[in-house]
Amino acid sequence: MPLQDRDADHGNRILADVVVVGAGLSGLVAAATAYAAGKRVAILDQEPAASLGGQAHWSFGGLFMVDTPEQRRLGVRDSAELALSDWMASAGFDRQHDAMARQWAEAYVQFAAGEKRAWLKSLDVGIFPLVQWAERGGYGPQGHGNTVPRFHVTWGTGPALLEPFLAKVQEGVQAGRVSLHFRHRATSLTTTAGRVAGVTGQILEPSTAVRGQASSRSAVGDFEARAGAVVVTTGGIGGNHETVRRQWPGNAAPLDMLSGVPASVDGDFLPVAESLGASLVNGDRMWHYPEGIHNYDPVWPKHGIRILPGPSSLWLDADGQQLPAPLFPGFDSLGALRHIVATGHSYSWFVLNRTIALKELALSGSEQNPDLTGRDVSLLVSRLKPGSDTPIQRFLDKGIDFIQGSSPHDLAGKMNALAGNQLVSADHLDALVRARDLQVASGLGKDPQLAAIRAARRFATDKLMRVAPPHRLADPAHGPLIAIRLSVLTRKSLGGLQTDLRSRVLDQEDRAIPGLYAAGEAAGFGGGGIHGYRALEGTFLGGCLFTGRAAGRHAAASV
């Protein structure tokens, strides 16, 4: 139960050493760390208790790690030097205020190559042995992308990553030193003698909304929380399409977007910190996906799921034109997004066949991976068997974005019917599929996508579960042909509150604001933008862990 002091003059008052605003992964890590340091901690969140854990609960549990036992067992040769080179090439830091983000990037890569794996093991967090290869790049040795596979999936996905921190927080609740305050929406920061000393806000009416569902914003009272330090872990803006559009680079946001995060990810508290003098930077740097599909069983408004693709599908824009190299599925999310949005449309297409769909396509999210989430080995093995009732098969059966055709001409007609236009030429699609199949039949070929597919199959994980052997798309033995309409899917903010390496929030003059800390997405995962312009994937959850721990440690040490 929450620990609350009631006062007739001041209403609902909460007292603690450290107040954490936001009960997602970074907030729970910060709270658990501060409690372990002997402090009294109060955690505030605007959502009901059902949503404890925030976005991390819904995540695939991917973690960016470097030179791990899992990599070495698969023959992957990685190093901190190589990972930092990839990170810096992908980030493209080019702004004066990127200096702090660069420091965070260097520190995080060392963490990912050093204690991160052992620390997670000490928390009983298991890692799925088959490392995945996300963001493969393709722009040369100094361009964006992961040179080697680094995407380690948590055994149990996002919920399992939350477990040790939820357990530590619950221990603190039982000890009377941690209090959880749901339906407490912070709206302002308070100061005493130049130091942040707490927050005030609204108590929202009780809600029966299940995890992820939009909840009421009707207030039934006010509250005040006082503390020696405040940690802001309120997340980003992905659920607030109005803010996403306003901050979109060049103000050219797509007209239609799906949401990869609940509506509660609204970014509303970030301007509150900014109004106190905090430096809020890089708002135009965002990480949204071009491979979103409508969830046939939605939980939140405009609920979309991201397809995690292998490299074999043909990727076409809304006009039916193939995206240029190296914008193959799984190689450069931001590059593909920019290209698609520049066409003036907010959707694109994968064209593939049943063999490729069942071999290569996965869906992001804990709920879309019951085998990994449930740590069910037998269910995981069954995913590889033909005819299995897999999440992808369910979307093939029920998803409004999935269509099947007996030939390229048949498929093109159905693509146009779904889109409500005549943009895809049946003759052009037929010619493209035929040309691609001729390249496969040659055994060699000039197609860079086929070269990338063959290279990927040299890696054990890809050959086993992520990349189908090259074959003719139109071969009836691998049919039917499939087209998947892909929408832009909002997800992460890459900018945020600028912080130093102690997670202290900085002002416009790069001075630490006493008593104010930030972590996770609210801090741009460190420094107001640790990723620069592009992320290497698996770095968001890890960024919550790294910055949450730093914020908890230093906030606790300051009081």
Side-chain angles (χ1 to χ4, degrees), residues 98-372:
D98 282 340
M100 193 57 65
R102 184 186 294 269
Q103 290 183 31
W104 271 100
E106 293 171 350
Y108 180 72
V109 170
Q110 290 300 318
F111 171 66
E115 66 171 309
K116 183 177 182 180
R117 182 68 185 88
W119 179 54
L120 291 172
K121 185 176 181 180
S122 73
L123 297 173
D124 292 326
V125 174
I127 300 296
F128 184 60
L130 298 179
V131 183
Q132 310 287 308
W133 199 347
E135 290 296 303
R136 301 173 191 233
Y139 298 96
Q142 293 182 306
H144 165 66
N146 285 296
T147 301
V148 298
R150 298 190 176 106
F151 191 84
H152 298 66
V153 178
T154 303
W155 184 233
T157 66
L161 189 60
L162 284 164
E163 283 177 2
F165 307 105
L166 288 169
K168 195 68 176 177
V169 166
Q170 185 58 38
E171 175 191 308
V173 171
Q174 295 297 324
R177 302 191 64 80
V178 174
S179 57
L180 291 162
H181 306 267
F182 301 107
R183 305 299 283 158
H184 280 60
R185 187 170 189 257
T187 58
S188 66
L189 290 160
T190 60
T191 60
T192 300
R195 181 182 176 90
V196 172
V199 300
T200 60
Q202 300 172 327
I203 302 174
L204 305 180
E205 66 180 358
S207 172
T208 58
V210 300
R211 181 183 293 277
Q213 279 187 338
S215 62
S216 164
R217 291 292 177 264
S218 297
V220 296
D222 300 313
F223 76 90
E224 177 185 16
R226 293 184 179 180
V230 173
V231 182
V232 178
T233 60
T234 51
I237 64 172
N240 187 336
H241 286 199
E242 180 181 350
T243 302
V244 168
R245 289 191 173 93
R246 186 172 64 250
Q247 296 184 185
W248 196 279
N251 298 316
L255 292 176
D256 298 306
M257 297 184 289
L258 299 177
S259 288
V261 294
S264 59
V265 187
D266 53 28
D268 284 354
F269 195 74
L270 297 176
V272 173
E274 186 179 30
S275 69
L276 195 71
S279 178
L280 183 61
V281 297
N282 298 321
D284 61 333
R285 293 178 180 170
M286 295 177 278
W287 192 251
H288 307 310
Y289 291 110
E291 312 105 329
I293 54 174
H294 293 80
N295 191 345
Y296 64 81
D297 186 20
V299 177
W300 54 78
K302 294 182 177 291
H303 189 172
I305 300 293
R306 186 202 174 197
I307 287 182
L308 302 172
S312 298
S313 300
L314 291 177
W315 200 343
L316 313 182
D317 65 23
D319 294 311
Q321 302 300 312
Q322 187 175 11
L323 272 59
L327 301 182
F328 313 130
F331 278 65
D332 178 9
S333 295
L334 183 60
L337 178 64
R338 286 174 174 170
H339 181 90
I340 291 162
V341 172
T343 68
H345 301 283
S346 56
Y347 70 95
S348 61
W349 301 95
F350 280 165
V351 172
L352 60 161
N353 57 33
R354 181 173 177 82
T355 293
I356 293 172
L358 297 182
K359 175 80 170 184
E360 296 196 2
L361 301 187
L363 300 169
S364 181
S366 57
E367 81 284 12
Q368 300 299 331
N369 294 274
D371 45 5
L372 291 167

